[in-house]
Amino acid sequence: MQFRLHPRLGMTIGYTPFSTVGYNFTRTKAIENSSDVTISNNFYGDGGLQQIFGGLGFKIFDHLSIGANIGYLYGKLKYQTTATLSNGGDQTITYNTVSISSYHASFGLQYTQPINKGNEITLGLTYSLGHVLNGHDTQGTQITNGTNYSVVNEQQINDSYGIPHIYGAGVAWKHKKNLTIEADYTLQQWSGVKYNNQTNLYQDRSKVAVGAEFLPKEYGRNYFSRVRYRVGAYYANSNLQIPVAQNMVEGPKEYGVSFGFGLPLKLYQRNTVLSITGQYIHAKPSVSDMLSENRLVLKIGLTFNEHWFMKWRVN
């Protein structure tokens, strides 16, 4: 939710997901020096982080604005790997449960320069603060024969994960109120960020994105002339470094394309919009034995943007 406190001061409050974990797959392979025994590894991850945040935006001059968001991060992440032998031996379960309770801060600067009566350019800069997260990590191993469980090597580790410094820059060209074309660049400085109390598992991640929105007529009587038509694409390298044969290789590169609509909900109510977007994402691994991903994503969003809490000058 965002609203105006003063002609030059706006405020926002929100509750959104910050990150999610969700996977469950199994790999089976033969054991070396054994022709009839295989080992099956099940990899499971679940959970995520949420954030509650508040922010302020201030218009310094007619074309220059600054803003900041401060948020509280919390949540729990669960990771588990199970090893099972085909000959009925004991099952080994390695687990890792992470509880996070920390803060998040981001800042922005935006400048809009009119070119002429129908065109304007907007430049934006953003920065998110990277730091070590306040958290508690429980790691251990269970061995079971299906009936009895024994826990070995369980330990508690504090503050073993972090988030990166993130820098962003973008430019947008707007032609009248009909066409907007944008390009963004984001740099996430993952190198040196803690993961499981290690600092050598990440590399910096860059992302380039472009997009456009076309609105035929802002006040057209025909419904389809007031629909917003959107298209976009992006490319990003991975922040992961994966150990392969005693070497660290780069994780999968990723690109995506999308197409969507912004649908006004009523004939004369143009501020509330239902957004529907379809997206195709492809992740290409850098080595042959990694998973390749092809995902189709459907996104649905509802934006209320109405003139509430305003005093009428004439009753």
Side-chain angles (χ1 to χ4, degrees):
M1 173 182 280
Q2 56 187 7
F3 45 88
R4 189 173 67 174
L5 300 177
H6 181 270
R8 290 184 176 268
L9 181 65
M11 181 176 181
T12 181
I13 55 175
Y15 170 75
T16 63
F18 184 79
S19 67
T20 59
V21 175
Y23 59 87
N24 187 359
F25 64 93
T26 301
R27 178 187 64 188
T28 301
K29 62 180 181 179
I31 297 179
E32 293 183 7
N33 303 321
S34 177
S35 60
D36 57 351
V37 179
T38 60
I39 183 171
S40 295
N41 296 109
N42 176 258
F43 302 92
Y44 173 81
D46 190 28
L49 301 181
Q50 296 78 41
Q51 65 171 333
I52 301 172
F53 66 89
L56 292 174
F58 180 68
K59 182 185 286 187
I60 303 176
F61 306 112
D62 287 343
H63 305 301
L64 180 64
S65 301
I66 60 173
N69 286 348
I70 306 297
Y72 169 65
L73 288 178
Y74 72 95
K76 182 176 289 187
L77 308 171
K78 297 180 181 180
Y79 305 93
Q80 181 176 292
T81 302
T82 304
T84 307
L85 296 173
S86 62
N87 61 1
D90 289 344
Q91 187 181 72
T92 302
I93 302 172
T94 303
Y95 57 89
N96 183 4
T97 301
V98 184
S99 297
I100 298 295
S101 176
S102 194
Y103 69 91
H104 181 253
S106 58
F107 310 90
L109 177 70
Q110 180 174 288
Y111 176 75
T112 300
Q113 176 61 54
I115 300 174
N116 49 43
K117 186 176 181 180
N119 297 277
E120 64 181 27
I121 296 289
T122 298
L123 304 175
L125 298 173
T126 62
Y127 167 69
S128 294
L129 178 65
H131 59 93
V132 176
L133 296 172
N134 176 42
H136 306 283
D137 190 3
T138 302
Q139 300 181 8
T141 302
Q142 285 183 336
I143 298 177
T144 176
N145 58 9
T147 303
N148 300 315
Y149 289 81
S150 61
V151 178
V152 294
N153 300 327
E154 183 171 281
Q155 57 180 334
Q156 304 285 334
I157 304 174
N158 294 328
D159 306 335
S160 57
Y161 293 84
I163 55 177
H165 298 282
I166 303 176
Y167 303 89
V171 58
W173 168 59
K174 190 170 186 178
H175 175 65
K176 298 182 179 179
K177 294 185 178 181
N178 303 108
L179 178 64
T180 302
I181 299 176
E182 303 179 353
D184 294 309
Y185 173 76
T186 305
L187 172 64
Q188 300 178 345
Q189 290 188 327
W190 282 98
S191 55
V193 172
K194 274 190 173 184
Y195 178 84
N196 198 14
N197 229 22
Q198 301 181 62
T199 57
N200 62 341
L201 297 179
Y202 288 127
Q203 64 178 1
D204 292 346
R205 181 178 189 262
S206 296
K207 179 180 179 181
V208 179
V210 294
E213 178 185 85
F214 176 65
L215 175 63
K217 291 183 180 180
E218 184 181 12
Y219 301 107
R221 293 189 176 186
N222 182 281
Y223 179 82
F224 292 100
S225 68
R226 291 182 287 110
V227 172
R228 299 174 183 269
Y229 300 89
R230 299 162 179 162
V231 64
Y234 77 90
Y235 170 83
N237 69 303
S238 175
N239 65 328
L240 298 177
Q241 294 192 99
I242 302 171
V244 177
Q246 299 181 346
N247 294 315
M248 302 299 289
V249 300
E250 185 179 355
K253 295 179 173 61
E254 181 177 297
Y255 65 82
V257 293
S258 60
F259 183 79
F261 306 92
L263 305 173
L265 294 187
K266 290 188 178 180
L267 184 61
Y268 298 107
Q269 181 174 304
R270 290 167 295 277
N271 294 325
T272 297
V273 177
L274 174 66
S275 297
I276 301 176
T277 302
Q279 187 176 38
Y280 168 73
I281 300 172
H282 175 69
K284 181 180 180 181
S286 57
V287 292
S288 60
D289 59 346
M290 292 176 59
L291 291 176
S292 177
E293 296 185 32
N294 292 281
R295 305 196 300 270
L296 293 175
V297 181
L298 177 65
K299 300 181 179 182
I300 300 176
L302 185 61
T303 303
F304 294 96
N305 186 13
E306 301 300 329
H307 295 162
W308 295 348
F309 312 116
M310 295 184 66
K311 293 182 178 180
W312 293 96
R313 293 191 176 185
V314 179
N315 290 325

